[in-house]
Amino acid sequence: MASSLPQLRSYRASDFETLYRIDQVCFPEGIAYGRFEMKVYLRAEGSYCLLAETGGNVAGFILAELAPDEGHIITLDVLEDYRRQGIGSLLLSAAEKEAASRGGKRMVLETATTNKAAIALWRKHSYRQLGTMEDYYGRGRDAFRMGKDLVAVRDAGAH
């Protein structure tokens, strides 16, 4: 368990294996990203990745992209030992601020319809359901597409 406050920092190439391992334990097979897919997202134009460290350990990360004015959360991963400590909220808020600072007007994401904890986090942060994507994670594994207007985030950052 973490005792120190989490520190946010940007992704470095040397973090790749750590992030890959975290994603593998945070999500089941078929939802967790493979190495190639994760590298593609990390290197994509407009992508950014923020890590939360506590006591020198990576507790979680968020990987997002912005193209052209719509942010997209690719994944938000927090290791189980660090959950329910505000790290997911901290990462999410930082990613939203980054998108808004780059001209993002809206943030969108996909989340499994069965992932109750994630859905609760998204709703807590004012994300609303935009639709359901059937078989998004494979046969019989649907996802909600959720979104949030970033105008309030951008306005808060302007003060």
Side-chain angles (χ1 to χ4, degrees):
M1 291 297 258
S3 57
S4 60
L5 293 174
Q7 300 295 312
L8 296 185
R9 68 170 176 84
S10 293
Y11 168 80
R12 298 185 289 253
S14 59
D15 296 319
F16 180 79
E17 284 302 319
T18 300
L19 271 52
Y20 173 75
R21 285 193 303 275
I22 290 171
D23 195 61
Q24 295 302 299
V25 299
C26 286
F27 292 100
E29 188 176 340
I31 294 180
Y33 290 115
R35 277 187 170 84
F36 177 78
E37 192 173 21
M38 186 173 271
K39 284 180 182 177
V40 167
Y41 282 125
L42 285 164
R43 293 175 181 161
E45 186 175 338
S47 74
Y48 56 99
C49 182
L50 303 170
L51 286 66
E53 290 184 324
T54 59
N57 297 314
V58 177
F61 71 96
I62 190 164
L63 175 55
E65 62 187 346
L66 184 66
D69 63 358
E70 181 175 86
H72 178 229
I73 296 170
I74 297 164
T75 192
L76 172 60
D77 300 35
V78 177
L79 288 169
E80 191 169 352
D81 286 350
Y82 297 97
R83 292 182 187 159
R84 306 200 63 75
Q85 298 178 34
I87 292 172
S89 293
L90 184 69
L91 286 163
L92 179 58
S93 294
E96 290 172 351
K97 287 175 188 164
E98 179 67 21
S101 76
R102 293 183 184 192
K105 293 180 173 56
R106 180 167 88 150
M107 187 71 94
V108 296
L109 60 93
E110 300 79 32
T111 192
T113 58
T114 56
N115 191 339
K116 304 300 181 210
I119 293 166
L121 175 73
W122 304 129
R123 287 189 175 145
K124 174 182 166 185
H125 288 274
S126 303
Y127 284 78
R128 60 184 178 80
Q129 188 175 330
L130 303 174
T132 302
M133 303 167 78
E134 291 186 19
D135 301 327
Y136 182 80
Y137 293 110
R139 185 183 210 103
R141 297 165 93 178
D142 299 342
F144 290 134
R145 181 153 175 90
M146 300 182 81
K148 175 182 179 177
D149 186 345
L150 293 178
V151 170
V153 173
R154 191 171 38 257
D155 291 347
H159 295 105

